[in-house]
Amino acid sequence: LHSEQRAWILEEILGSLIKVSSRKRACNTYRLPGGKSVQFISVLLLRMLQGTAQSPEDLTAGFEGHSLSTKEYRMLLEKHQKAIDSASSSTDFTIRYLISRCARREGKAVTNEAEYRSFLENFTSDCVLLLGQPQWPAAELVVRVYSLHALELLDDEKADITLKTLSLESTAQIASHIACVRQALEVESNTKKASVLCPITTLSSVEDIQLFHKTTATLISYLQTQSDSNGSAGVISLYVSTWASMLIAILLKLKRLDSKQHSNGSNGPESQNCDGSTADEHRQNKIHSYELMDDDATDMSGEEDGSCSEYEEATLDGSLRNKKASIKARDIAEKRRAIEACLTSYMDIVHRSAKTVAESVSLADAADASKSVFSLLPLYRSFEMLLTRVTMALGASQVTLRSKALRALNSIATQRPSVLYQTS
């Protein structure tokens, strides 16, 4: 879809979906691994939003494994950021459209208000259930965008009380799911003693980058084997663009650090003495001084010994600085190679057909990888913010909100009892 046409197409589709009766929507369900199910209409809408992240260009162009120039990296970053922005804008439009149809205007009910509210509630609930599922990366995007709008509604004193109640219930449901995932990851980490996946930054170790590489490659390999039968357009594109945007941004930072390191190494203070002379010039000056002042060598011996001591100390400090700079430069180079190897593996996997993927990845392995990847996403890290907003609602002026907030806090505490011991 062209971006200028996408808004009205989405509006037409959303307007048509609401005409399907609630009974028919409830009858048609999509079964998930583990026995739970979601409505087919939610799956169709989510699949459409995922499809908007599909890049028309070669997804992995530039991942060939060799270092690119800063300009080429920036162009590559822009391409993948464009795919993410496309899916984000479509998702934001969808959520804003549904919320606007649920809100009363000047205290008067709008057409199909109850139907839109029911649809929004079911859609967001289904997306919460799909969080961390390998085939549904857009679920996190939908829930994250919706949670931001829900928090805005809770902060708006003039918002419709029915919408605020719905927002509070949804916020509690999202926080409860995050708490459940946290608990599962903690148990798995303690029992299997597996390494915990950490967010990748310029300070990350090479081992952390390699673990991220292994986990994400496992997930893409599974999706590639399912691509012919699953029909999930845009799934791999959304995953790869999200990860590539992060990794390329880190590569650019590492290149800047490397350039700064070389600049400091060539012109830094360690290559000069306090008078501005180099080490060779300093040694020549000392020899020349000894030749001129040979007669007074005995009288000046104390001063010369002090000068020599100072010179040796400065030389030692310079050697330590050079060694540290060398270690830092080597560390940066290793991180860059690890990130470039990660991008190259994405290219290798994406360019294979489903029938030629060498390694067989089970659904269980893919689910574990997807759950670990979910723990790095912004929604997962927003648990404390969501919990804080629920506790703030305990002091709301409306009795309905206070009672809903109490139930919401109870549902979160069921998954993570430690929240009851927090002082703030």
Side-chain angles (χ1 to χ4, degrees), residues 280-313:
D280 287 338
E281 291 172 345
H282 184 80
R283 283 192 294 271
Q284 292 296 329
N285 290 338
K286 284 177 69 65
I287 293 171
H288 185 59
S289 298
Y290 286 136
E291 291 174 348
L292 292 177
M293 303 175 64
D294 187 55
D295 295 337
D296 300 324
T298 303
D299 297 334
M300 300 291 292
S301 59
E303 295 183 12
E304 286 299 328
D305 288 342
S307 176
C308 183
S309 177
E310 292 176 3
Y311 166 70
E312 289 175 353
E313 183 178 350

Side-chain angles (χ1 to χ4, degrees), residues 31 62 94 104 136 226 242 260 273 282 293 311 320 398:
R31 189 158 301 276
T94 300
R104 298 194 171 198
W136 306 106
Q226 304 294 314
T242 301
K260 184 178 180 181
N273 295 292
H282 184 80
M293 303 175 64
Y311 166 70
L320 289 174
Q398 298 95 336

Side-chain angles (χ1 to χ4, degrees), residues 217-231:
T218 297
L219 183 53
I220 297 181
S221 296
Y222 171 78
L223 292 171
Q224 189 68 6
T225 61
Q226 304 294 314
S227 59
D228 290 344
S229 58
N230 203 29

